[in-house]
Amino acid sequence: MEIVWFKRDLRVHDHAPLLAACASGRPVLPLYIVEPDLWAQPDASGRQFAFLAESLADLDRSLQAGGARLVVLVGDAVQILHDLHASYGITAIHAHQETGNLWSFARDKAVRRWARAAGVPVHEAMQHGVWRAHDNRDGWAARWEAMMRRPRLPAPAAIAMADVAGDALPSAADLGLAPDPCPGRQPGGRRAGLALLKSFMGERGRPYRAAMSAPASGADHCSRLSPHLALGAISMREAFQSALTARQRWKDGGDSQFVGSIDSFISRLHWHCHFIQKLEDAPWLEARCLHPAYDGLPAHGPARLAAWAQGRTGWSFVDACMRSLNATGWLNFRMRAMVMAVASYHLRLDWRQSGAVLARAFTDYEPGIHWPQVQMQSGTTGTNIPRIYNPVKQGLDQDPQGRFIRRWLPELAHLPTPFVHEPWKAPGAAAYPAPLVDHEQAARDARAAITAIRRDPAHAGPARAIVRTHGSRKAGLPDTTRRRKTLPATTQGQLDLCQGTND
């Protein structure tokens, strides 16, 4: 039989591995492996598993339309494939390339070693605009554009199903995941994703360009496709081509605002794959600093980490963002960057620990975007201009009337607007935690620490090497920064993004 190993490509449309298996003429086993060791990793959470379970149920319904079903097996991937080969014989394994966390990278290498020893061919297709074994970014965007403009693949009309029994889908508790209430979590499944795509391109996305920066308006007017793209219920090519179609429709209708917003959305689809490419080229990014000079930065302990994670830093806008994220599983990109920067610069937390906290909180956790961004916002790449956010100014800019703060911090709802942003200044002092540190002094200290590292003559060589491998200067990517002309040549290739890829 031919195995189609579904991982983070939970759809039947635009799915090259599924079509290739069906074209073989042999029985096909649509397989999803629930790997307990994967769910034991520090970036895994119950909300992610709940979204996955809904997406798997939707995929099963889609397979049934072609006369098949999804077979779920629980255990170690190598052992499961070994047992299937011993019992039934595997003629080939079809899958999409996956750029996941470091654990999944090691698992894929183990599967390929087993397959070579067993004489089982493994055919992996590209899913995103991410290339393996490349050494620079020259012409990257042109290749991406060409791939995304290729015709989408249809779902197979019929699937000859292999007769293999499956396991029951375990619960989050069965996998040892901690209780993870998330009342505002997005529902999983392709149908939910397609509804979001339709509403975004049809009406919701009109104010996207202006609305994406603030957490409240972003929740309504960002596409919210990110969890569906992360699990592959919708392909990147589907999102891109839908955007092109909508852009032309709104251009013909004279709606310049909507056209501009779709242009911004399309640029973020490019950046989505640009960041995944970084992790593809450096799978260890979740474990050590991109530039080794930053590995020795001091970090504070669990008390500060817990206060930040639970929204108890004393900076009301930061706390509102963290509480919103904990309750919904989503946060707009600018605020993701801010809370990460506050953790690293102001609170001096180890980015690996705070990055894992955010990974678990994001329903749309995409390792290839997450870990490069964590390092960018922590100043550990050695090439990006440090973006040290002022947590009070961000609140005044993005929530000037304090409505978002009052929604997520009801204990501050009684304060007048000037004090809701700085409750420690309220007359009589509000019943709210004082800031963990003075944010202005903390920013000065962080800037001084990074400047000292960068002034070391040994810093420049590794930084240039990082730009050659990961930089976007010759890639042809859309410019999302206004600071390009003022940047020194050593940092120009690796720009600090004002907006991002989880919008």
Side-chain angles (χ1 to χ4, degrees), residues 173-215:
D174 292 335
L175 295 171
L177 291 165
D180 188 19
C182 188
R185 179 181 62 79
Q186 292 179 239
R190 177 174 171 82
R191 288 181 296 180
L194 290 175
L196 287 171
L197 183 61
K198 181 179 179 180
S199 66
F200 180 73
M201 298 300 174
E203 183 59 37
R204 271 193 314 113
R206 179 174 282 105
Y208 169 73
R209 176 174 278 180
M212 71 171 103
S213 294

Side-chain angles (χ1 to χ4, degrees), residues 34 36 39 45-46 49-50 52-53 72 74 167-178:
V34 177
W39 291 99
S45 64
F49 188 77
L52 168 71
V72 173
V74 181
D167 298 327
L169 185 70
S171 68
D174 292 335
L175 295 171
L177 291 165

